Amino acid sequence: AVVSTQSTGGRFDKKRKRRKLNTALTAESAEFLLNKPSAIQSESKKLGEEIQALLNHKSAREKTIIENLKSNKTAQVREFCEWVTRQECKRGNVKFGSCKKLHFRKLIHSHTDTSLGDCSFLNTCFHMDTCKYVHYAIDEDDQRVHMRRQHREAMNTRAKNSAAMLVSDSKSLSMAATTITPPQWIQCDIRKLDKDVIGKFTVIMADPPWDIHMELPYGTMTDDEMRNLGVEKVQDDGFIFLWVTGRAVELGRELLAIWGYDRVDDIIWVKTNQLQRLIRTGRTGHWINHGKEHCLVGVKGNPKNFNRGLDCDLIVSEVRDTSHKPDEIYGMIERLSPGTRKLELFGREHNTQNNWLTLGNQLDGVHLEWEDVKQKYFARYGMSLPF
C-alpha cells in the first residue's frame, strides 16, 4: 500500500510539473505573439525606413554645394573616446589597440579626493588649485600621435593640391569663386560709432552684454541702449544672428522687430563639458540650471545668393570662457552666405574671422582691409578710436 501511494504521488507530481510547463510555454507564446508586429506594422516600418533613406540621400545639387564649400585644409576635428581615459578604454574596448580617438587623463593632486568623483565644472572650475574633485586633461600621448598624423595628412594634401594646380578649374561654380578677406576689427564703443563709416553687410551677428539681472564679469547695457543701437543702419538685405539668454529671449525678439527683421529661425547651442557630456550644473539660470543658449535668426529685405538647407538648427559644443560662443556658428554662416561681408558686434579677439569685421571695446586697436571702409574710417576718425 505504501509503494502504491508513493507511485500515485509521483504521477501527480509529474502531471503538476507538466501543467506548469505547458502554462509557461503558453504564456511565452502569447507574449511572443503580442510583441510580434503585424503584417501592417511591418510594412509600415519598412515604408518608413525607405522614406527616411530617400530623405537622407543627398541630391546632385547638394553634393555639388558641399564639395565646393568643403575646406581644403586637413581635418582639425577629433572624436573623443566614449571610455574617456586610455585605461578605461583598454578595459572596456576590445579593439583598444586600434582606437584612434582622443582620450583624457585624470589630474590627481595632493588635495584631490577621488571618492568625491568628477568636478561638475571640470576645466571651467574657478578653483582648480584647491578643488578636491577630479579634473581631466587631454592625454599627451594622443596629442603626439595626432600631431604626427596631421603632419602626414598635410603633406599628402599639399601634394594633391600641387597636382590639382595643373588641372583646369573651369568647372568651378560661381559660389566657389569667393573672395577671402583677412580678419578686420575696430576697438570701439559700439553705441558711439558712426555706423555710416562701416557701410552695409550681408550678415550680422551679435552677442550683446544683456542686463540679465545677474552678477557678470563684464559691463552690461540697458534695454533702451540696445533698442537705440542703430543696427538697422548697417544692413538693407540680409541676415542677423542674435545670441540671447534668460530674460533677453523676449527682448531679443522685440529688438529684431525694431531693427526691421522678421524672425525666421532659432539656433540652439546645447552645452557640453570637457568630457563632452551634457552640462547639468551650469552657472546661469535663476530657477533651473541652463544647459543651452539660443541664437535668434532674422531676415531683412530680400537677400540673394545664399544657400538653404545645408545645416540644422542645433549645435552641440563644449563650453569655454565666459560668453565664448561655439566656433561652429561661423562655419554655418559662411556656408549660408559664402564670401560676403559680415559684421560681428560685441566681439573679442577670439571672434575675429576671415570675411568678418569685428567691433567691440575689448579688441586691440584698428585693422581694416576693405579700402572703402578704410577711407571712410580714417576720414572720420583719423588715427583715434571711436570711444
Side-chain angles (χ1 to χ4, degrees), residues 51-70:
I51 293 174
Q52 188 66 35
L54 289 173
L55 290 174
N56 291 333
H57 182 73
K58 293 181 176 63
S59 66
R61 179 177 179 275
E62 288 175 323
K63 290 178 180 178
T64 303
I65 292 174
I66 291 172
E67 185 64 28
N68 281 276
L69 294 178
K70 187 171 63 176

Side-chain angles (χ1 to χ4, degrees), residues 168-218:
S168 172
D169 59 353
S170 59
K171 295 186 294 181
S172 60
L173 300 180
S174 60
M175 69 176 65
T178 56
T179 302
I180 303 299
T181 306
Q184 305 170 81
W185 61 89
I186 299 176
Q187 181 185 1
C188 64
D189 183 336
I190 299 175
R191 296 169 295 185
K192 301 177 182 178
L193 177 70
D194 183 357
K195 306 301 187 297
D196 293 332
V197 167
I198 57 177
K200 305 289 184 178
F201 296 83
T202 304
V203 178
I204 301 172
M205 182 166 67
D207 181 19
W210 304 105
D211 182 8
I212 56 175
H213 303 161
M214 291 183 66
E215 185 176 346
L216 299 169
Y218 51 81

Side-chain angles (χ1 to χ4, degrees), residues 325-357:
K325 298 301 185 285
D327 294 336
E328 289 85 346
I329 190 71
Y330 294 105
M332 292 176 67
I333 292 174
E334 192 61 36
R335 289 186 289 273
L336 173 73
S337 181
T340 57
R341 288 194 177 189
K342 301 173 180 70
L343 173 70
E344 180 162 8
L345 306 177
F346 308 104
R348 291 179 286 176
E349 186 176 354
H350 64 256
N351 296 117
T352 57
Q353 304 280 330
N354 291 336
N355 292 336
W356 287 78
L357 171 61

